[in-house]
């Protein structure tokens, strides 16, 4: 434990404090998502689409006990407005570009809180994670292969989230592309 604020820690210190850990599927993850979704709807006050993404949304495979949530917004102005709203409500901005912002909740100077969330703010249609999630849900053999991949990388990269993520990239990219072909325009927004 350190006396430093999270914003003052180096990447290596953060990785030590928040190592990768994988857990067996937990039915509570869906409830965590639903609880957080309702909380977000109360504070955002902006037209958006909120979706449960990541391995905790698959519910048949081991996952980091971190609920990933995709928030799709109409335009950059809405993206900025929601970003400011999340900052005012205790979420910690981890990275930001003009069209993608990531917030965390559940990280403390003492380690992980009981519930941990990653919020991915995007513009409508920037949603590859939905396709990948649905591919894993409809192809249990691929979900199990993804689980095996993650378990094989876990201890090797326990304190290096970037390398762990990078080692999964080709797998995710391949099955996202297959999902886009299979599901066509399932998540593309039709302009009114």
């Amino acid at each position: 434990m350190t006396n430093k604020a999270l914003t003052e820690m180096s990447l290596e210190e953060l990785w030590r404090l928040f190592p990768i850990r994988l857990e067996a599927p937990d039915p509570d993850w869906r409830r965590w998502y639903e609880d957080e979704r309702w909380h977000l709807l109360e504070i955002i006050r902006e037209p958006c689409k909120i979706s449960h993404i990541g391995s905790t949304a698959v519910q048949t495979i081991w996952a980091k006990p971190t609920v990933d949530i995709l928030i799709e917004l109409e335009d950059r102005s809405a993206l900025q407005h929601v970003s400011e709203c999340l900052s005012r409500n205790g979420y910690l901005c981890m990275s930001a570009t003009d069209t993608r912002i990531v917030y965390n909740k559940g990280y403390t100077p003492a380690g992980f809180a009981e519930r941990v969330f990653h919020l991915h703010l995007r513009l409508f249609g920037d949603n590859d994670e939905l396709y990948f999630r649905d591919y894993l849900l409809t192809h249990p053999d691929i979900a199990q292969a993804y689980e095996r991949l993650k378990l094989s990388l876990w201890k090797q990269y326990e304190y290096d989230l970037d390398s762990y993520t990078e080692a999964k990239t080709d797998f995710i990219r391949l099955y996202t592309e297959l999902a886009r072909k299979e599901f066509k325009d399932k998540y593309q927004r039709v302009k009114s």
Side-chain angles (χ1 to χ4, degrees):
M1 188 158 151
T2 179
N3 292 331
K4 287 184 180 179
L6 295 178
T7 55
E8 297 171 343
M9 291 183 191
S10 70
L11 195 53
E12 290 74 24
E13 289 173 313
L14 289 169
W15 284 343
R16 284 280 165 202
L17 186 58
F18 305 109
I20 294 168
R21 64 177 204 234
L22 297 176
E23 295 181 5
D26 186 337
D28 284 343
W29 293 336
R30 181 177 296 280
R31 183 175 46 82
W32 293 2
Y33 162 72
E34 289 297 336
D35 291 349
E36 196 66 17
R37 179 178 173 276
W38 284 111
H39 174 67
L40 290 166
L41 288 170
E42 288 176 0
I43 65 172
I44 287 178
R45 307 276 185 212
E46 192 75 50
C48 65
K49 178 182 176 191
I50 300 177
S51 304
H52 188 181
I53 59 171
S55 294
T56 61
V58 177
Q59 297 189 1
T60 59
I61 61 175
W62 281 57
K64 291 183 297 175
T66 300
V67 173
D68 285 280
I69 298 174
L70 176 65
I71 303 172
E72 293 179 87
L73 298 150
E74 188 68 42
D75 54 35
R76 289 180 181 174
S77 174
L79 193 78
Q80 189 57 43
H81 177 260
V82 170
S83 178
E84 292 165 3
C85 178
L86 292 174
S87 290
R88 284 191 309 271
N89 282 277
Y91 294 83
L92 181 62
C93 185
M94 298 305 294
S95 65
T97 68
D98 287 347
T99 59
R100 289 182 160 205
I101 305 173
V102 177
Y103 276 86
N104 291 351
K105 179 180 177 183
Y107 289 74
T108 76
F112 291 113
E114 180 183 347
R115 294 183 182 192
V116 180
F117 301 92
H118 289 176
L119 281 69
H120 306 265
L121 278 61
R122 307 271 182 77
L123 299 179
F124 278 111
D126 184 359
N127 53 18
D128 280 350
E129 293 86 350
L130 294 175
Y131 288 93
F132 183 67
R133 177 201 68 194
D134 286 0
Y135 201 83
L136 296 182
L137 288 170
T138 57
H139 298 275
D141 56 326
I142 303 304
Q144 292 305 307
Y146 186 52
E147 176 186 71
R148 286 190 302 275
L149 173 63
K150 293 190 310 173
L151 290 170
S152 75
L153 299 170
W154 176 11
K155 292 302 178 182
Q156 178 182 0
Y157 297 117
E158 185 174 11
Y159 299 103
D160 185 351
L161 182 61
D162 287 348
S163 294
Y164 173 79
T165 301
E166 179 61 32
K168 299 184 305 176
T169 298
D170 289 342
F171 185 99
I172 293 168
R173 185 176 296 127
L174 169 65
Y175 290 104
T176 299
E177 288 173 12
L178 290 173
R180 283 193 167 279
K181 290 176 185 169
E182 182 173 327
F183 303 130
K184 309 245 186 280
D185 296 327
K186 181 177 181 178
Y187 294 112
Q188 294 308 308
R189 192 153 180 242
V190 178
K191 294 282 183 185
S192 50

